Amino acid sequence: MPATPPPTPTSPPTSPLAPPPAQDPAVADRLAALRGPVPPRHHDARTIAALTANPGCARRAVLDAAGVDKRALAERIGFGPRFGQSPFAISRGNAFEKLVKADGGTTLLHLLRDQLGLDVPLDNQNPGSPGSGGEWLDLGTGEREERYRRTRDLVAAAARDQDAGPVLADHPLLKLEVGGRAAYVEPDLVAFRASSAAAPTVPWRWYLAEIKSFAMIDGRADPVKVAEAATQAAVYVLAFQALLADLGLPPELAATDVVLVCPRDFSNTPTAALVDVRRQLAAVRRQLDRLPRIGALLDGLDAGLTFDLAKDEDGEPVRGSAELGKAVAAVEARYAPECISRCDMAFYCRDEARATCSTDLLGRSVRDALGGVGTMRDVLALAGGEARGGDEAFDDDPDLAEAARLLSMARRARSEALEQAQARAAEAELRSREVAA
């Protein structure tokens, strides 16, 4: 491995990536009151990826920030999710992950060198004790802040030691700002240093690896699953860039090529591929920037609102389903059909959208094309010129007037197309009768 080191972490930060802000005690207390006296469910890459896919949904933002168990909440109000990973798939994934990590990551190191062409020494040195070598560094135990500090110290030590081997850190913990609050994310596998022939001018970079149990058949995997894995990996890369910036290191030292490790063909033999996540990284960064600050969302909620899922001494819920349903309805949602596969609250939100005839049911592209018209009743009324007493009532709302004009044109075009189709069908029927006669 080239011996030229990157800048040491003693220099001031040169990146626009800022470290997560200190948590506001007032916001923390309000979120705790929303959650009730139950352990919080913390953000992970999957929830952050789903949150950034629908940044306009205040309901999900509040529930995730408060650490509410959305699956349990949905079940309590009668809209439990009807999907989830099977126990068999979970067991298979855990077994495959253990196989990849066996013998201190030896299997992974061989994949990196032999299959991906990365320059990673096979002596697997432990950068936590430079030069000692031979150990797999496990960062998966301890409190979250302690694990983050150990991860940060590990990266700082490796940056100072130009002769250190690859960093193989099992389950490093990273920190990312989500809606103005710090969220911890944990990559599936490891962070390690390697150089690549594809970037000869860069001495080495940090790489993140993701282990997935879906198979690569003839070198190809399900594109939908790969896209989901790439989005989650982009969350990790963004968090790692924030860590490097906090240490005064260039964020570019974090490679935007993520190592995806999957079973090969129909066996359990690991295989690997580099997945470029630059597009997903830009999308996640942009969506996180668009997320409203959680404090601003909380200011719009009633002081007594709570999603308390606690039970009393007899095992009965403290809050009834009707009370919890009112609390959920008090937070605005932005439903989209894709939520069904991404959010535990999706079935409740879909039922709510149906009850109000919301244009959210039609999908994002249609909803956005309608220019902010909220319900399908309004859409039909605007198309017929019946809303608000006629077109002259739109003078004070140019956007709505434009929507009414376009919808009226679409309605007339549809009517004309139907009339022409009916005329052609009648003409064809008449000709067929003449031929038959």
Side-chain angles (χ1 to χ4, degrees), residues 122-142:
L122 290 178
D123 53 359
N124 188 19
Q125 293 178 355
N126 177 7
S129 202
S132 61
E135 276 191 60
W136 174 279
L137 189 62
D138 186 2
L139 299 175
T141 58

Side-chain angles (χ1 to χ4, degrees), residues 92 96 99-100 111 115 212-221 260-272:
R92 182 174 182 271
F96 181 69
L99 176 64
V100 174
L111 284 175
Q115 190 166 331
K212 297 297 181 182
S213 60
F214 56 81
M216 287 188 188
I217 309 298
D218 292 333
R220 296 180 177 273
L260 180 64
V261 184
C262 298
R264 184 174 61 200
D265 297 331
F266 300 100
S267 69
N268 216 30
T269 303
T271 187

Side-chain angles (χ1 to χ4, degrees), residues 19-338:
Q23 184 171 331
D24 186 345
V27 172
D29 292 343
R30 184 73 177 94
L31 292 174
L34 285 173
R35 184 179 63 251
V38 295
R41 293 182 66 89
H42 300 297
H43 265 305
D44 56 26
R46 189 183 299 272
T47 64
I48 294 175
L51 186 62
T52 56
N54 192 5
C57 184
R59 180 174 295 164
R60 171 148 196 164
V62 169
L63 292 175
D64 280 348
V68 176
D69 186 340
K70 296 192 299 297
R71 175 179 287 269
L73 178 61
E75 291 173 348
R76 186 75 63 84
I77 61 179
F79 289 91
R82 303 160 204 171
F83 59 88
Q85 196 173 18
S86 70
F88 173 77
I90 294 175
S91 299
R92 182 174 182 271
N94 291 338
F96 181 69
E97 183 174 336
K98 290 180 181 179
L99 176 64
V100 174
K101 295 179 180 181
D103 299 326
T106 301
T107 299
L108 175 65
L109 289 172
H110 281 287
L111 284 175
L112 299 175
R113 288 177 60 90
D114 301 339
Q115 190 166 331
L116 302 182
L118 296 177
D119 184 9
V120 184
L122 290 178
D123 53 359
N124 188 19
Q125 293 178 355
N126 177 7
S129 202
S132 61
E135 276 191 60
W136 174 279
L137 189 62
D138 186 2
L139 299 175
T141 58
E143 297 293 331
R144 291 188 303 159
E145 187 58 35
E146 177 190 354
R147 291 176 56 197
Y148 172 73
R149 179 185 54 78
R150 290 166 58 201
T151 302
R152 189 179 186 278
D153 292 345
L154 173 71
V155 175
R160 287 192 300 265
D161 185 5
Q162 59 181 330
D163 296 322
V167 173
L168 290 176
D170 189 9
H171 291 296
L173 199 65
L174 307 171
K175 193 184 293 186
L176 189 65
E177 179 185 341
V178 179
R181 298 184 70 245
Y184 293 89
V185 294
E186 179 182 336
D188 273 350
L189 183 59
V190 297
F192 57 90
R193 303 191 316 177
S195 59
S196 171
T201 61
V202 181
W204 52 261
R205 292 186 296 178
W206 293 89
Y207 286 79
L208 294 172
E210 276 287 281
I211 300 177
K212 297 297 181 182
S213 60
F214 56 81
M216 287 188 188
I217 309 298
D218 292 333
R220 296 180 177 273
D222 184 336
V224 175
K225 294 180 179 179
V226 172
E228 292 177 353
T231 302
Q232 293 177 33
V235 174
Y236 298 136
V237 173
L238 188 61
F240 202 90
Q241 288 181 345
L243 173 61
L244 292 173
D246 188 36
L247 290 171
L249 297 171
E252 294 75 19
L253 285 178
T256 53
D257 293 326
V258 174
V259 178
L260 180 64
V261 184
C262 298
R264 184 174 61 200
D265 297 331
F266 300 100
S267 69
N268 216 30
T269 303
T271 187
L274 285 175
V275 178
D276 187 351
V277 299
R278 284 178 295 179
R279 181 173 61 84
Q280 291 84 357
L281 183 63
V284 169
R285 183 185 289 113
R286 182 175 63 252
Q287 298 292 55
L288 284 177
D289 290 340
R290 290 177 57 197
L291 282 177
R293 292 298 183 257
I294 191 64
L297 292 178
L298 296 179
D299 290 340
L301 303 179
D302 293 337
L305 191 69
T306 180
F307 306 103
D308 185 2
L309 296 174
K311 296 182 179 181
D312 58 22
E313 296 178 355
D314 299 326
E316 296 296 325
V318 174
R319 309 279 177 178
S321 58
E323 184 179 1
L324 289 173
K326 290 181 180 178
V328 172
V331 186
E332 184 180 358
R334 192 174 189 186
Y335 173 77
E338 308 91 81

